[in-house]
Amino acid sequence: MIKIAVLVSGSGSNLQALIDANLSGQIAGVISNKPEAYALERAQKAGIQTALIEHKQYPNREAFDDAMHQQLLDWDVDLVVLAGFMRILSAKFVKAWEGKMVNIHPSLLPCYKGMHTHQRVLNTGDTLHGCTVHYVTAELDAGQALAQGVLKVNPHDNAETLANRVHVLEHVIYPQVVEWICTGAIQHTARGVDYRGQPLQAPVQFCKL
Ligand code: GRF
């Protein structure tokens, strides 16, 4: 059984969706870099062990990442799932977990990497928006996209309503992608990503239009 660690910094609604999905893999532990993250309570309620590794306690990014890396090794983790984890990871850490670490980002990547995606979508006047699950590489929000949830931007949407609507999609696609990794339906190989034995040409799409 695949052992999963979920890295969080905040509310942890995606962590909750992963817990509720009864995955084939086991969530072996949850790491937070923030003591106040509600995600820690969610994990504890579900009987999942937690580790608080506060970035502020470390002299630099590398030292913080080394502490997380050691915790992941101690838990014997196969897959790292970033779920609202708000720290940039060092190149060394990303390399160590290459092909074994995924993230969810609230935009249709490659559009709107980085922060404030909902407002930027509104400012541009886009009619479609959504979220992307992708492998993590050294370049921010640039690893291969595995799945996307797509929704239509309504005329009355603001950044808050969009964030809420995107979250609903996130809670569908993230557990699905993690389950595909747990069951081997998605595989990271030396020559790329396979989905059900075929090279993945484009992210799997889930639409709520
Ligand atoms: C989500 O919007 C996700 O796309 C982004 O951070 C947010 C985390 O939300 N990476 P939550 O903590 O899972 O509720």
Side-chain angles (χ1 to χ4, degrees), residues 9-15 39 42 82-86 103-106 118 131 163 166-167 170-171:
S9 303
S11 147
S13 68
N14 279 285
L15 167 66
R42 295 184 193 267
L82 306 182
F85 184 70
M86 300 304 285
N103 181 41
I104 189 156
H105 181 74
H118 311 299
C131 48
V166 168
H167 253 115
E170 292 185 3
H171 302 159

Side-chain angles (χ1 to χ4, degrees), residues 94-207:
V94 172
K95 186 81 194 149
W97 294 95
E98 194 180 340
K100 297 178 187 167
M101 180 158 60
V102 290
N103 181 41
I104 189 156
H105 181 74
S107 80
L108 296 173
L109 291 172
C111 299
Y112 307 108
K113 296 173 181 174
M115 305 284 284
H116 310 299
T117 57
H118 311 299
Q119 191 56 52
R120 287 158 66 203
V121 163
L122 291 168
N123 294 348
T124 310
D126 288 355
T127 51
L128 295 176
H129 184 35
C131 48
T132 305
V133 179
H134 62 94
Y135 276 115
V136 177
T137 56
E139 197 186 332
L140 185 70
D141 300 327
Q144 176 156 8
L146 301 172
Q148 290 187 312
V150 183
L151 55 72
K152 202 168 148 196
V153 179
N154 294 328
H156 55 265
D157 267 321
N158 55 42
E160 195 186 339
T161 61
L162 267 188
N164 291 336
R165 294 178 61 215
V166 168
H167 253 115
V168 173
L169 273 175
E170 292 185 3
H171 302 159
V172 174
I173 75 168
Y174 216 4
Q176 177 64 85
V177 170
V178 172
E179 180 65 9
W180 281 337
I181 294 172
C182 290
T183 59
I186 287 180
Q187 278 179 329
H188 190 281
T189 73
R191 52 173 177 72
V193 177
D194 283 350
Y195 173 61
R196 302 195 190 283
Q198 302 291 326
L200 181 68
Q201 308 282 7
V204 179
Q205 293 209 330
F206 299 78
C207 296

